[in-house]
Amino acid sequence: MTNPKLLSRLASVTGPGGVLTGEDVQNRSTGWISRGSMQASAIVRPRNTAEVSAVLRLCHEAGQPVVPHGGLTGLVEGGHADRHELVVSLELMNGIEEVDENGPSMTVEAGVVLQAIQQRAEASGLMFPLDLGARGSAMIGGLISTNAGGNRVIRYGMTRNLVLGLEAVLADGTVISSMYPIIKNNSGYDLKHLFIGSEGTLGVVTRAILRLLPQPRSQCTALIGVHEFGHLPRILRSLHAGLGGTLSAFEVMWNEFYRLVTTPPARQTALLPQTFPYYVIADAQGSDQKPDQERFEAALERITDEGLAGDCVVAMSASERQAIWAMRDDVDQFHQFRPWFGFDVSMPIRHMEAYVAEVRAALAAKFPSHVCFVFGHMGDGNLHLNIHVGSGDIEARHEVEGIVYGGLGSRQGSVSAEHGIGLEKRAYLPLCRTEQELALMRTLKHAMDPKGILNPGKVLIQASSL
Ligand SMILES: Cc1cc2nc3c(=O)[nH]c(=O)nc-3n(C[C@H](O)[C@H](O)[C@H](O)COP(=O)(O)OP(=O)(O)OC[C@H]3O[C@@H](n4cnc5c(N)ncnc54)[C@H](O)[C@@H]3O)c2cc1C
């Protein structure tokens, strides 16, 4: 429980509606993954950076642990809050402050939802290229804190590449404002990167200046059926070369995933027969629809003539494009297989086929009736595995984790390509980070949050006890 005196001091900082307790907390969902009820002792909802700073200063003085919350679409329990922890939600800080069309850039508060940013950019003829299935709920503070990837990393990079300036508040309330709307800035350490991807353990992100790009004037999308894994990297290379740098997504769905999202109760119908082992969604963004479409179709023709593509559907309209992407985005279908364990690993593409075969063989030996869906941002070396083995208990989870993570170290892989570490993967961090790297992470954590009040226990085990 949080000290009532502290709660009343926090309420005087944040004003009416700024501090929620009791049923107002318990009735809140804990997010897309768990769908339980919130355990936190209270939710504090500051309205600006000064209030975040005052809230953290008071919590720091009191040694009160704090868990930052955005849209709660995180997939690794990074927002998990125990009874003694206090949530700082950025949901009321949802203003778009400025769009600089010449920059081009957009200045936003941390609680703005991704889709609102995309739409505002579009209204100015610009684009914020970050895109993912949780676009309607994920907030920019959460996306920055997890360094989210998504569907277009192959072309535009991860969130880190799209943040020009950043403001964050340290555990003791100090405001670090690096709100520079410039791409090139080598004046000393680039401090914003400490907060990007650190999952709320080093500071609370309050505002950001985002990099915008010109709105693409053309988009070409295809669904490609592929017979052999070895064809996938060759298709990727061929499309990269043939599309003059405009390839903006290269997503791969293994057969089981495709069947799941094209069979009722899923709403999408199969645009290609359900018999291919692999399906690619290729997407290119350019500047002139007619010639870009011709170049796109010529590139697809080449891979078909070379025998790399088994069959292909090209979107001829926005609604056909949406129908293709709707398959990839329909991850809600996993809920048919509750309980399931979700993974987000990365490795060089050349290792993927053997890795997936190894995981499947080990699962079959241990859990004969398991179901394993594989899909992901293959162009970025990123695979998602969603696995159902019947039981959801901790022993089953550890066995499955051992199988999925076991083959990564020897393949220069990572236990988290884009979702982060949170609580869920922290025990496995040493599999893909050296002792020296982990020691430096702990040193940073201790320097920036000596009392260990910020998102305690996330990312690094026992960081707070240092
Ligand atoms: C359907 C679906 C599809 C998804 N697809 C992708 C994908 O393609 N790529 C991808 O990378 N992720 C994906 N995700 C995961 C998720 O959307 C991202 O991790 C997202 O960045 C989380 O944003 P959020 O606002 O929901 O953050 P939350 O879930 O609220 O928080 C996530 C973490 O960030 C911290 N945090 C939140 N806000 C702040 C802040 N202002 N300051 C400091 N720390 C903060 C939290 O403490 C927590 O550790 C998907 C999730 C869903 C449900």
Side-chain angles (χ1 to χ4, degrees):
M1 285 301 292
T2 299
N3 183 330
K5 269 194 195 149
L6 174 62
L7 283 183
S8 92
R9 293 178 79 189
L10 293 171
S12 64
V13 166
T14 52
V19 176
L20 307 179
T21 53
E23 286 188 356
D24 289 338
V25 175
Q26 287 135 26
N27 290 340
R28 287 204 162 203
S29 154
T30 46
W32 188 82
I33 196 102
S34 65
R35 298 186 174 184
S37 74
M38 189 89 74
Q39 303 291 314
S41 60
I43 299 176
V44 181
R45 304 190 299 166
R47 288 182 172 80
N48 52 50
T49 304
E51 288 188 8
V52 175
S53 167
V55 164
L56 288 183
R57 198 176 324 113
L58 289 171
C59 290
H60 191 253
E61 279 166 21
Q64 169 63 51
V66 166
V67 179
H69 274 187
L72 289 181
T73 66
L75 299 174
V76 292
E77 298 179 47
H80 175 84
D82 278 330
R83 281 175 210 288
H84 68 288
E85 292 175 326
L86 189 116
V87 163
V88 172
S89 168
L90 280 295
E91 65 195 29
L92 300 184
M93 290 179 60
N94 56 7
I96 294 180
E97 296 176 6
E98 188 193 359
V99 176
D100 173 1
E101 296 185 4
N102 294 321
S105 66
M106 188 188 295
T107 305
V108 293
E109 291 184 308
V112 184
V113 167
L114 174 59
Q115 200 160 32
I117 293 171
Q118 292 173 333
Q119 287 168 351
R120 181 65 188 82
E122 217 174 302
S124 297
L126 296 163
M127 171 176 70
F128 182 57
L130 179 64
D131 190 40
L132 42 81
R135 64 184 75 76
S137 308
M139 296 176 188
I140 194 65
L143 293 156
I144 289 173
S145 303
T146 57
N147 186 28
N151 300 332
R152 298 181 186 146
V153 172
I154 195 171
R155 172 97 178 264
Y156 304 103
M158 296 182 74
T159 302
R160 188 182 297 287
N161 301 66
L162 302 170
V163 177
L164 296 175
L166 193 75
E167 180 183 84
V169 181
L170 299 183
D172 67 359
T174 305
V175 178
I176 300 291
S177 184
S178 299
M179 292 289 278
Y180 306 109
I182 43 182
I183 295 175
K184 299 178 86 168
N185 185 0
N186 276 352
S187 51
Y189 302 148
D190 197 342
L191 298 175
K192 65 177 182 280
H193 290 297
L194 289 171
F195 305 102
I196 302 174
S198 55
E199 302 182 51
T201 60
L202 300 182
V204 176
V205 174
T206 46
R207 293 162 71 227
I209 302 178
L210 306 173
R211 184 177 185 183
L212 303 181
L213 293 162
Q215 179 68 33
R217 300 220 174 89
S218 75
Q219 191 166 357
C220 306
T221 308
L223 177 70
I224 308 164
V226 181
H227 287 298
E228 283 178 37
F229 184 91
H231 291 171
L232 294 170
R234 292 174 61 192
I235 294 174
L236 175 60
R237 270 206 317 274
S238 179
L239 292 183
H240 255 319
L243 297 176
T246 62
L247 184 68
S248 50
F250 190 87
E251 300 285 311
V252 177
M253 302 174 279
W254 267 243
N255 179 277
E256 294 86 347
F257 179 91
Y258 182 78
R259 276 191 285 129
L260 176 72
V261 296
T262 55
T263 305
R267 288 183 303 277
Q268 288 70 238
T269 49
L271 300 174
L272 287 175
Q274 292 182 327
T275 46
F276 287 98
Y278 310 98
Y279 298 82
V280 173
I281 296 178
D283 202 287
Q285 296 184 321
S287 56
D288 195 344
Q289 190 68 42
K290 194 165 176 292
D292 288 344
Q293 185 84 16
E294 282 167 9
R295 193 182 315 121
F296 190 69
E297 289 178 18
L300 292 173
E301 215 172 289
R302 264 195 306 278
I303 57 169
T304 310
D305 290 348
E306 286 168 19
L308 300 176
D311 202 352
C312 194
V313 175
V314 183
M316 301 309 283
S317 64
S319 64
E320 287 182 12
R321 177 173 316 118
Q322 270 155 21
I324 292 177
W325 273 107
M327 298 176 195
R328 172 61 183 81
D329 282 347
D330 197 9
V331 288
D332 271 340
Q333 296 309 322
F334 295 135
H335 296 323
Q336 292 179 48
F337 290 88
R338 278 178 181 269
W340 52 266
F341 307 125
F343 299 94
D344 157 47
V345 299
S346 61
M347 72 199 74
I349 294 173
R350 67 179 183 279
H351 292 310
M352 283 181 179
E353 184 177 25
Y355 170 79
V356 172
E358 197 176 289
V359 167
R360 284 190 195 281
L363 286 171
K366 196 83 204 171
F367 306 101
S369 55
H370 76 278
V371 188
C372 175
F373 299 105
V374 186
F375 62 108
H377 316 291
M378 196 186 126
D380 317 325
N382 178 188
L383 289 183
H384 298 310
L385 291 91
N386 279 53
I387 297 170
H388 168 81
V389 294
S391 166
D393 66 23
I394 195 75
E395 287 79 23
R397 170 182 276 281
H398 286 160
E399 291 209 61
V400 175
E401 285 172 344
I403 290 171
V404 172
Y405 295 139
L408 291 174
S410 59
R411 295 187 166 99
Q412 296 165 293
S414 166
V415 299
S416 173
E418 57 177 11
H419 294 163
I421 296 297
L423 275 184
E424 204 182 280
K425 300 181 196 164
R426 55 188 192 159
Y428 299 97
L429 198 52
L431 289 179
C432 58
R433 294 298 203 153
T434 64
E435 256 175 55
Q436 292 77 7
E437 285 179 298
L438 292 170
L440 182 54
M441 287 185 203
R442 290 203 180 90
T443 303
L444 280 172
K445 170 72 178 171
H446 188 56
M448 294 175 71
D449 179 17
K451 292 190 179 179
I453 65 158
L454 270 185
N455 222 358
K458 313 290 165 46
V459 183
L460 297 168
I461 292 176
Q462 292 173 337
S464 59
S465 66
L466 277 170

